[in-house]
Amino acid sequence: MESNRQRKVAQIIQEDFAELFRKQASESKQSILVSVSDVKVTPDLSIAKIYLSIFPKEHRKAVMKEIEENKAQYRNFIGQKMAKQVRVIPNLNFYLDTTLDDVEKLERELRGEGDNPIL
């Protein structure tokens, strides 16, 4: 069960990264949307798991690679935002959230348009 503190820290991280990725997208020449779909924080607040949805699909690997390469800068960014609220800045782990893709695939399957046609 998540504590109130975990939820609060997760919410702060989610909001700050959503704003950061929105700014990066508006400054970029490419039309790539990165949204923070969820953030989970461990009970000791040492690790934050950040789930990202990236559209269009073709750019996912490149964007995730770039995010992994810049993980230290992102931790520094979140550290500046949260400095007065937590003692230890959590380590950041980024994951690709494919939930929407899974839902879309399931809906196609149910309509009989997927790889598993209705008998």
Side-chain angles (χ1 to χ4, degrees):
M1 179 110 187
E2 240 184 1
S3 70
N4 285 339
R5 184 81 174 134
Q6 282 174 276
R7 280 193 295 276
K8 186 175 183 179
V9 169
Q11 182 180 5
I12 291 168
I13 292 171
Q14 185 169 6
E15 290 171 358
D16 288 341
F17 273 113
E19 181 65 19
L20 174 69
F21 290 136
R22 187 195 61 74
K23 281 183 182 175
Q24 286 179 342
S26 68
E27 294 169 359
S28 173
K29 304 286 185 246
Q30 298 176 330
S31 58
I32 298 174
L33 174 66
V34 179
S35 63
V36 182
S37 56
D38 196 15
V39 176
K40 300 286 184 195
V41 180
T42 57
D44 62 357
L45 306 179
S46 65
I47 299 172
K49 297 178 181 179
I50 303 165
Y51 297 89
L52 304 174
S53 294
I54 302 169
F55 298 99
K57 293 179 186 181
E58 304 83 55
H59 298 289
R60 287 182 179 166
K61 283 188 179 180
V63 171
M64 286 302 289
K65 183 177 184 236
E66 185 178 330
I67 288 171
E68 284 297 322
E69 289 171 354
N70 295 316
K71 198 187 277 192
Q73 287 96 329
Y74 289 129
R75 187 166 186 249
N76 185 35
F77 163 78
I78 205 70
Q80 291 173 357
K81 294 283 192 172
M82 299 176 63
K84 303 269 191 279
Q85 299 166 5
V86 293
R87 266 185 269 136
V88 177
I89 303 306
N91 288 318
L92 307 176
N93 294 329
F94 293 94
Y95 299 95
L96 185 61
D97 184 5
T98 59
T99 306
L100 293 176
D101 295 336
D102 298 340
V103 168
E104 183 180 327
K105 182 179 177 187
L106 183 61
E107 286 176 350
R108 277 197 317 268
E109 295 287 337
L110 290 172
R111 288 191 307 260
E113 298 171 3
D115 298 334
N116 188 15
I118 298 174
L119 300 175

mmCIF file of all heavy atoms in Angstrom, residues 35-40 49-53 93-97:
data_model
loop_
_atom_site.group_PDB
_atom_site.id
_atom_site.type_symbol
_atom_site.label_atom_id
_atom_site.label_comp_id
_atom_site.label_asym_id
_atom_site.label_seq_id
_atom_site.Cartn_x
_atom_site.Cartn_y
_atom_site.Cartn_z
ATOM 1 N N SER A 35 4.557 11.797 -22.833
ATOM 2 C CA SER A 35 3.725 12.084 -21.668
ATOM 3 C C SER A 35 4.085 11.125 -20.541
ATOM 4 O O SER A 35 4.471 9.978 -20.779
ATOM 5 C CB SER A 35 2.233 11.969 -22.011
ATOM 6 O OG SER A 35 1.918 10.662 -22.396
ATOM 7 N N VAL A 36 3.981 11.609 -19.320
ATOM 8 C CA VAL A 36 4.289 10.816 -18.136
ATOM 9 C C VAL A 36 2.981 10.174 -17.689
ATOM 10 O O VAL A 36 2.103 10.845 -17.137
ATOM 11 C CB VAL A 36 4.895 11.689 -17.023
ATOM 12 C CG1 VAL A 36 5.256 10.845 -15.818
ATOM 13 C CG2 VAL A 36 6.095 12.452 -17.537
ATOM 14 N N SER A 37 2.845 8.879 -17.939
ATOM 15 C CA SER A 37 1.581 8.214 -17.648
ATOM 16 C C SER A 37 1.461 7.800 -16.184
ATOM 17 O O SER A 37 0.359 7.748 -15.648
ATOM 18 C CB SER A 37 1.376 7.006 -18.559
ATOM 19 O OG SER A 37 2.458 6.118 -18.446
ATOM 20 N N ASP A 38 2.593 7.514 -15.536
ATOM 21 C CA ASP A 38 2.529 7.100 -14.136
ATOM 22 C C ASP A 38 3.906 7.228 -13.500
ATOM 23 O O ASP A 38 4.923 7.170 -14.191
ATOM 24 C CB ASP A 38 2.047 5.645 -14.038
ATOM 25 C CG ASP A 38 1.592 5.257 -12.639
ATOM 26 O OD1 ASP A 38 1.365 6.159 -11.806
ATOM 27 O OD2 ASP A 38 1.450 4.045 -12.375
ATOM 28 N N VAL A 39 3.932 7.395 -12.190
ATOM 29 C CA VAL A 39 5.177 7.401 -11.421
ATOM 30 C C VAL A 39 4.937 6.588 -10.152
ATOM 31 O O VAL A 39 3.951 6.793 -9.450
ATOM 32 C CB VAL A 39 5.621 8.837 -11.044
ATOM 33 C CG1 VAL A 39 6.864 8.797 -10.154
ATOM 34 C CG2 VAL A 39 5.875 9.670 -12.284
ATOM 35 N N LYS A 40 5.817 5.660 -9.902
ATOM 36 C CA LYS A 40 5.775 4.857 -8.674
ATOM 37 C C LYS A 40 7.058 5.105 -7.902
ATOM 38 O O LYS A 40 8.147 5.091 -8.480
ATOM 39 C CB LYS A 40 5.670 3.359 -8.991
ATOM 40 C CG LYS A 40 4.449 2.965 -9.780
ATOM 41 C CD LYS A 40 3.231 2.999 -8.914
ATOM 42 C CE LYS A 40 2.024 2.503 -9.721
ATOM 43 N NZ LYS A 40 0.786 2.825 -9.094
ATOM 44 N N LYS A 49 10.095 5.086 -10.369
ATOM 45 C CA LYS A 49 9.870 4.433 -11.657
ATOM 46 C C LYS A 49 8.922 5.322 -12.451
ATOM 47 O O LYS A 49 7.783 5.539 -12.033
ATOM 48 C CB LYS A 49 9.257 3.052 -11.465
ATOM 49 C CG LYS A 49 10.152 2.095 -10.716
ATOM 50 C CD LYS A 49 9.476 0.765 -10.505
ATOM 51 C CE LYS A 49 10.361 -0.174 -9.729
ATOM 52 N NZ LYS A 49 9.702 -1.460 -9.498
ATOM 53 N N ILE A 50 9.400 5.813 -13.581
ATOM 54 C CA ILE A 50 8.642 6.777 -14.375
ATOM 55 C C ILE A 50 8.232 6.108 -15.680
ATOM 56 O O ILE A 50 9.081 5.647 -16.443
ATOM 57 C CB ILE A 50 9.490 8.035 -14.642
ATOM 58 C CG1 ILE A 50 9.932 8.632 -13.298
ATOM 59 C CG2 ILE A 50 8.718 9.040 -15.479
ATOM 60 C CD1 ILE A 50 11.030 9.638 -13.407
ATOM 61 N N TYR A 51 6.922 6.044 -15.909
ATOM 62 C CA TYR A 51 6.377 5.387 -17.092
ATOM 63 C C TYR A 51 6.006 6.448 -18.128
ATOM 64 O O TYR A 51 5.250 7.369 -17.820
ATOM 65 C CB TYR A 51 5.165 4.536 -16.716
ATOM 66 C CG TYR A 51 5.534 3.411 -15.770
ATOM 67 C CD1 TYR A 51 5.520 3.599 -14.391
ATOM 68 C CD2 TYR A 51 5.937 2.180 -16.271
ATOM 69 C CE1 TYR A 51 5.887 2.575 -13.535
ATOM 70 C CE2 TYR A 51 6.302 1.149 -15.421
ATOM 71 C CZ TYR A 51 6.279 1.365 -14.050
ATOM 72 O OH TYR A 51 6.643 0.344 -13.194
ATOM 73 N N LEU A 52 6.559 6.295 -19.335
ATOM 74 C CA LEU A 52 6.379 7.284 -20.390
ATOM 75 C C LEU A 52 5.622 6.698 -21.575
ATOM 76 O O LEU A 52 5.880 5.569 -21.988
ATOM 77 C CB LEU A 52 7.745 7.773 -20.882
ATOM 78 C CG LEU A 52 8.693 8.344 -19.833
ATOM 79 C CD1 LEU A 52 10.046 8.630 -20.467
ATOM 80 C CD2 LEU A 52 8.115 9.588 -19.215
ATOM 81 N N SER A 53 4.710 7.490 -22.121
ATOM 82 C CA SER A 53 4.059 7.179 -23.391
ATOM 83 C C SER A 53 4.669 8.096 -24.430
ATOM 84 O O SER A 53 4.736 9.313 -24.227
ATOM 85 C CB SER A 53 2.554 7.431 -23.304
ATOM 86 O OG SER A 53 1.962 6.535 -22.395
ATOM 87 N N ASN A 93 14.265 5.669 -12.833
ATOM 88 C CA ASN A 93 14.218 4.586 -13.807
ATOM 89 C C ASN A 93 13.065 4.884 -14.753
ATOM 90 O O ASN A 93 11.927 5.047 -14.308
ATOM 91 C CB ASN A 93 13.997 3.236 -13.124
ATOM 92 C CG ASN A 93 15.168 2.836 -12.255
ATOM 93 O OD1 ASN A 93 16.305 3.182 -12.536
ATOM 94 N ND2 ASN A 93 14.888 2.103 -11.199
ATOM 95 N N PHE A 94 13.370 4.948 -16.038
ATOM 96 C CA PHE A 94 12.361 5.263 -17.041
ATOM 97 C C PHE A 94 11.929 3.989 -17.756
ATOM 98 O O PHE A 94 12.761 3.163 -18.125
ATOM 99 C CB PHE A 94 12.909 6.270 -18.061
ATOM 100 C CG PHE A 94 13.178 7.620 -17.472
ATOM 101 C CD1 PHE A 94 14.429 7.956 -17.003
ATOM 102 C CD2 PHE A 94 12.160 8.562 -17.372
ATOM 103 C CE1 PHE A 94 14.685 9.203 -16.450
ATOM 104 C CE2 PHE A 94 12.395 9.810 -16.824
ATOM 105 C CZ PHE A 94 13.653 10.131 -16.367
ATOM 106 N N TYR A 95 10.618 3.853 -17.948
ATOM 107 C CA TYR A 95 10.041 2.695 -18.619
ATOM 108 C C TYR A 95 9.071 3.175 -19.686
ATOM 109 O O TYR A 95 8.383 4.177 -19.503
ATOM 110 C CB TYR A 95 9.294 1.804 -17.625
ATOM 111 C CG TYR A 95 10.172 1.262 -16.532
ATOM 112 C CD1 TYR A 95 10.247 1.911 -15.300
ATOM 113 C CD2 TYR A 95 10.929 0.123 -16.722
ATOM 114 C CE1 TYR A 95 11.050 1.425 -14.290
ATOM 115 C CE2 TYR A 95 11.740 -0.370 -15.711
ATOM 116 C CZ TYR A 95 11.795 0.278 -14.500
ATOM 117 O OH TYR A 95 12.605 -0.191 -13.501
ATOM 118 N N LEU A 96 9.002 2.420 -20.770
ATOM 119 C CA LEU A 96 8.059 2.721 -21.833
ATOM 120 C C LEU A 96 6.710 2.125 -21.460
ATOM 121 O O LEU A 96 6.613 0.941 -21.149
ATOM 122 C CB LEU A 96 8.554 2.130 -23.157
ATOM 123 C CG LEU A 96 7.738 2.468 -24.389
ATOM 124 C CD1 LEU A 96 7.706 3.977 -24.626
ATOM 125 C CD2 LEU A 96 8.344 1.777 -25.600
ATOM 126 N N ASP A 97 5.682 2.947 -21.456
ATOM 127 C CA ASP A 97 4.319 2.503 -21.140
ATOM 128 C C ASP A 97 3.600 2.191 -22.446
ATOM 129 O O ASP A 97 3.339 3.076 -23.248
ATOM 130 C CB ASP A 97 3.576 3.590 -20.372
ATOM 131 C CG ASP A 97 2.184 3.161 -19.937
ATOM 132 O OD1 ASP A 97 1.826 1.984 -20.146
ATOM 133 O OD2 ASP A 97 1.455 4.003 -19.384
#
